[in-house]
């Protein structure tokens, strides 16, 4: 793969596609992880004397310039992080008069940020005209937006057809290396931990990982569909009735492949979905009709921590319980702690899992926390990501 280390950008206009799709509350960025993660590539290009033009989408403005989804706050935050001016080109058309003038006036090492690429309706359709407009701004294209790599849009895929040089940035490289090695070339034993509320959103991940892992640990809301598939009562717990047969199939596949598939052996249940509701711990098949499972129980925490002890590579996606409520965060904390304690490559999928790990204070204890939610999931499904494929075409 060609990366920013393989090109000479001195005096050249370099367009860098980043994933600056950050959470905003009243115009303030509430989590700047994705900005910080983009800095190594940006700094490298600045130091090498490139004219660094940054672009990204933010939210889903659906082709309409929505002021609350402007990238202006990102320009400000980046300027602080870089201790350097980041000129914001406020064009509703993204590649408009402001952008063109700002780029024309750039000196080597300057930084310009374009407006939200999804202000243009063509962006998500991967249209040719907008791809060409973006390409016309630069001599070299760098794709560092791993979080967007599962989309085929103008600013990460279409543009590569109209530039001579397209390479990946450090963040993209790092994500592909960690996730790719974990799935395709792992130091074994390889253990995957899957949680979160729905089996349906992880069907292909489970199926693909059962061909790769030595142990698959299941927790969170999706575990109840598996318990039901074993004929156990799950009361009011999350259940996807349409996926009971699928869960059965996956358990058979695990057996056939010699994968150690672990399900919770005890569960924290309550009659209400509330942190203050009286709760109790029950064994398998002991959930009453008016109770719902909200976390894995203490015996399960031990079982899972034990299973992780000998692991050399661990991939985790999805919390073990309703970790946002302190009384149901113990299972998620136990798994994070077990991962922090072992001498292994530990990888956290983006989205909810990354949020949980950071929020619970284990952020710096993991080998890699992905910046891609949907993208890391599709990667674990074994899919080729269009953003990755396109950037490697040249
Ligand atoms: C993400 O946050 O997962 C990426 O930025 C992709 O955003 P999207 O789901 O709006 O395409």
């Amino acid at each position: 793969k060609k990366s920013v280390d393989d090109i000479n950008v001195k005096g050249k206009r370099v367009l860098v596609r980043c994933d600056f799709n950050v959470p905003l509350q009243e115009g303030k960025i509430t989590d700047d992880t994705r900005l910080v993660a983009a800095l190594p590539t940006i700094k490298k290009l600045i130091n090498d004397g490139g004219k660094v033009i940054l672009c990204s989408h933010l939210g889903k403005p659906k082709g309409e310039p929505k002021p609350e989804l402007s990238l202006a706050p990102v320009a400000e935050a980046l300027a602080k992080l870089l201790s350097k001016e980041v000129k914001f080109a406020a064009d509703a058309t993204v590649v408009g008069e402001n952008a063109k003038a700002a780029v024309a006036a750039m000196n080597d090492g300057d930084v310009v940020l374009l407006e939200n690429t999804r202000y243009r309706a063509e962006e998500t359709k991967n249209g040719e005209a907008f791809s060409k407009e973006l390409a016309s701004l630069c001599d070299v294209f760098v794709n560092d937006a791993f979080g967007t790599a599962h989309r085929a849009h103008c600013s990460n895929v279409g543009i590569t057809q109209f530039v001579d040089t397209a390479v990946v940035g450090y963040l993209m490289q790092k994500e592909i290396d960690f996730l790719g090695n974990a799935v395709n070339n792992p130091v074994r034993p390889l253990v995957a931990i899957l949680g979160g509320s729905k089996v349906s959103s992880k069907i292909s991940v489970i199926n693909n990982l059962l061909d790769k892992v030595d142990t698959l640990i299941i927790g969170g809301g999706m575990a109840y569909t598996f318990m039901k598939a074993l004929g156990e009562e799950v009361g009011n717990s999350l259940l996807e009735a349409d996926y009971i047969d699928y869960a059965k199939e996956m358990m058979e596949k695990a057996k056939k492949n010699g994968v150690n598939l672990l399900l919770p052996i005890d569960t924290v249940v309550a009659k209400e979905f509330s942190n203050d509701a009286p709760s109790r711990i029950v064994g398998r098949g002991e959930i009453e009709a008016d109770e719902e499972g909200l976390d894995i129980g203490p015996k399960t925490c031990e079982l899972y921590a034990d299973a992780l002890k000998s692991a050399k590579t661990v991939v985790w996606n999805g919390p073990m319980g309703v970790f946002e409520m302190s009384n149901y965060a113990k299972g998620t904390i136990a798994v994070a702690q077990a991962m922090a304690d072992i001498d292994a490559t530990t990888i956290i999928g983006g989205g909810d899992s990354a949020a949980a790990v950071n929020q619970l204070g284990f952020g710096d204890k993991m080998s890699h926390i992905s910046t891609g939610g949907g993208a890391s999931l599709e990667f674990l499904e074994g899919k080729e990501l269009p953003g990755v494929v396109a950037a490697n075409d040249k």
Side-chain angles (χ1 to χ4, degrees), residues 122-123 125-127 130-131 134 152-160:
E122 306 101 297
E123 163 73 336
K125 301 187 182 85
N126 201 13
F130 184 44
S131 299
L134 287 166
H153 293 170
C154 295
S155 61
N156 70 329
V157 172
I159 182 172
T160 58

Side-chain angles (χ1 to χ4, degrees), residues 17 19-22 34 56-60 118 124 146-151 153 351 371-375:
R17 178 37 158 121
D19 190 328
F20 293 149
N21 187 24
V22 289
R34 282 180 164 174
S56 174
H57 75 285
L58 175 62
K60 298 185 195 290
R118 287 192 190 166
T124 53
F146 178 75
T148 319
H150 57 315
R151 312 283 184 218
H153 293 170
T371 54

Side-chain angles (χ1 to χ4, degrees), residues 237-256:
S237 306
L238 276 176
L239 174 70
E240 288 179 288
D242 293 349
Y243 289 90
I244 294 173
D245 284 344
Y246 183 79
K248 277 186 197 156
E249 231 178 84
M250 289 301 105
M251 288 189 279
E252 274 158 29
K253 178 167 178 175
K255 231 181 245 159
K256 198 176 115 243

Side-chain angles (χ1 to χ4, degrees), residues 268 275 279 281 294-298 300-302 316 320-338 360 362:
V268 180
N275 196 37
S279 63
I281 295 156
L294 296 167
D295 194 10
I296 56 174
T300 307
C301 292
E302 261 178 55
W316 182 18
M320 296 291 100
V322 191
F323 75 96
E324 300 89 341
M325 298 186 195
S326 58
N327 287 331
Y328 314 120
K330 293 191 186 87
T332 303
I333 293 173
V335 165
Q337 185 67 57
L360 299 171
F362 290 92

